[in-house]
């Protein structure tokens, strides 16, 4: 199979957890639903029109953290906007909301870096996306690249086409996040600071009515090294990296 690899980079990110309310907590990585929305937006799909074309059966996605990150909570003063005239802040009842931001370890010199791997059964979509993001810069028929909310603008870098081969159950050095439903065991025999694992409950897919139809726990290593794990299945890439699809 052909696998498209690219890096999604930026200075700040916020991927709001679907169950957070008064405090806007963020996922550590962009959920699959966020990546799908970003790709569909670049390709010019109208809002909420792409869920079937990018379902779990049609589109496979893997995600990895590629630069050191941290989280920080800031209070944001949100405006009540009912008409365009309210953008000047004249409306009453401003709301201060605690918002969790994903940041690079060094905000001055660093940046956030997520590596995304994508396979789509429709090769024409893969080819169009490759043409749009292979740069320099990127082309879009809709949205601008952002890491979550619109103010956290980002960019796309290091676009490659790789060959992938599906492998069955076994041990592998996994470079991407691992869905817990695919995970049997992690090898901690050489455990050191190279592993810092988070488990996060994340959305995976919507239906055509934008209702959540699948979610799951993802195992995320933020220390940038691969995780030696026994998994149900994985993909071996032509550059010898191994990944698991978020599904």
């Amino acid at each position: 199979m052909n696998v498209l690899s690219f890096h999604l980079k930026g200075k700040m990110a916020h991927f709001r957890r679907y169950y957070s309310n008064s405090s806007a907590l963020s996922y550590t990585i962009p959920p699959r639903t966020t990546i799908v929305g970003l790709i569909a937006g670049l390709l010019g799909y109208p809002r909420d029109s792409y869920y079937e074309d990018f379902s779990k059966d049609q589109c496979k996605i893997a995600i990895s953290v590629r630069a050191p990150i941290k989280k920080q909570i800031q209070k944001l003063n949100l405006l009540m906007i009912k008409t365009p005239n309210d953008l000047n802040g004249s409306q009453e009842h401003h709301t201060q909301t605690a918002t969790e931001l994903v940041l690079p370890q060094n905000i001055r010199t660093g940046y956030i870096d997520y590596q995304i791997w994508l396979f789509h059964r429709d090769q024409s979509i893969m080819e169009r996306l490759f043409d749009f993001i292979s740069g320099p810069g990127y082309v879009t028929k809709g949205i601008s690249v952002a890491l979550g909310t619109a103010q956290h603008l980002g960019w796309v870098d290091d676009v490659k086409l790789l060959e992938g081969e599906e492998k069955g159950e076994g041990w592998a050095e996994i470079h991407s996040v691992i869905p817990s439903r695919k995970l049997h065991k992690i090898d901690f025999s050489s455990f050191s600071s190279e592993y810092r694992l988070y488990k996060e409950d994340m959305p995976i897919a919507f239906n055509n009515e934008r209702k959540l139809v699948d979610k799951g726990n993802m195992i995320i290593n933020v220390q940038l090294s691969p995780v030696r794990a026994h998994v149900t299945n994985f993909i071996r890439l032509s550059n010898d990296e191994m990944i698991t699809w978020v599904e």
Side-chain angles (χ1 to χ4, degrees):
M1 66 172 68
N2 291 325
V3 177
L4 178 61
S5 166
F6 62 92
H7 288 247
L8 181 60
K9 299 180 179 181
K11 274 293 189 180
M12 291 186 182
H14 175 74
F15 310 108
R16 182 163 182 154
R17 300 192 185 213
Y18 70 90
Y19 51 80
S20 68
N21 40 45
S22 58
S23 294
L25 301 177
S26 175
Y27 293 110
T28 303
I29 62 170
R32 180 188 181 278
T33 49
T34 299
I35 299 300
V36 165
L38 172 65
I39 294 167
L42 290 175
L43 296 176
Y45 280 77
R47 180 181 173 87
D48 296 335
S49 68
Y50 54 84
Y51 300 128
E52 187 171 331
D53 286 350
F54 288 88
S55 67
K56 291 189 303 176
D57 292 334
Q58 294 296 314
C59 179
K60 307 293 186 182
I61 290 174
I63 308 162
S64 176
V65 178
R66 289 303 199 189
I69 56 175
K70 63 183 179 182
K71 288 184 178 180
Q72 189 176 89
I73 293 181
Q74 297 283 351
K75 285 288 187 72
L76 298 186
N77 195 27
L78 303 182
L79 302 179
M80 175 72 74
I81 304 297
K82 294 183 178 179
T83 69
N85 292 331
D86 298 332
L87 291 171
N88 63 8
S90 60
Q91 186 68 252
E92 296 181 358
H93 309 301
H94 297 187
T95 303
Q96 285 199 340
T97 302
T99 303
E100 188 174 43
L101 302 176
V102 182
L103 304 169
Q105 284 287 352
N106 188 325
I107 189 63
R108 294 182 181 273
T109 61
Y111 50 82
I112 299 167
D113 184 355
Y114 298 110
Q115 186 171 5
I116 312 297
W117 296 270
L118 178 140
F119 165 77
H120 202 289
R121 297 192 186 280
D122 186 341
Q123 285 298 301
S124 66
I125 290 179
M126 295 267 291
E127 291 167 2
R128 286 174 60 209
L129 182 60
F130 179 79
D131 291 341
F132 277 29
I133 66 175
S134 54
Y138 64 90
V139 177
T140 177
K141 286 192 172 181
I143 65 167
S144 297
V145 170
L147 278 68
T149 46
Q151 68 266 31
H152 298 133
L153 294 176
W155 64 93
V156 178
D157 197 8
D158 196 17
V159 182
K160 297 176 182 177
L161 277 175
L162 303 169
E163 287 294 321
E165 181 183 1
E166 189 166 358
K167 298 290 187 178
E169 183 175 336
W171 286 95
E173 302 278 342
I174 304 297
H175 288 74
S176 66
V177 305
I178 306 173
S180 61
R181 65 184 64 166
K182 290 187 175 185
L183 178 64
H184 295 294
K185 189 176 182 180
I186 294 177
D187 181 7
F188 290 112
S189 60
S190 60
F191 184 76
S192 66
S193 60
E194 65 182 9
Y195 288 176
R196 194 163 99 236
L197 303 176
Y198 295 163
K199 182 174 76 170
E200 295 185 352
D201 182 24
M202 309 184 75
I204 295 175
F206 292 129
N207 63 16
N208 288 332
E209 297 177 350
R210 198 177 169 78
K211 292 182 178 178
L212 187 63
V213 294
D214 192 16
K215 66 183 184 70
N217 287 314
M218 302 296 149
I219 309 301
I220 307 162
N221 182 26
V222 297
Q223 288 297 91
L224 316 184
S225 60
V227 175
R228 178 167 170 75
H230 188 257
V231 292
T232 302
N233 56 69
F234 62 95
I235 303 296
R236 180 186 291 275
L237 301 172
S238 52
N239 61 358
D240 291 330
E241 292 183 341
M242 287 164 276
I243 59 174
T244 51
W245 300 127
V246 175
E247 56 187 11

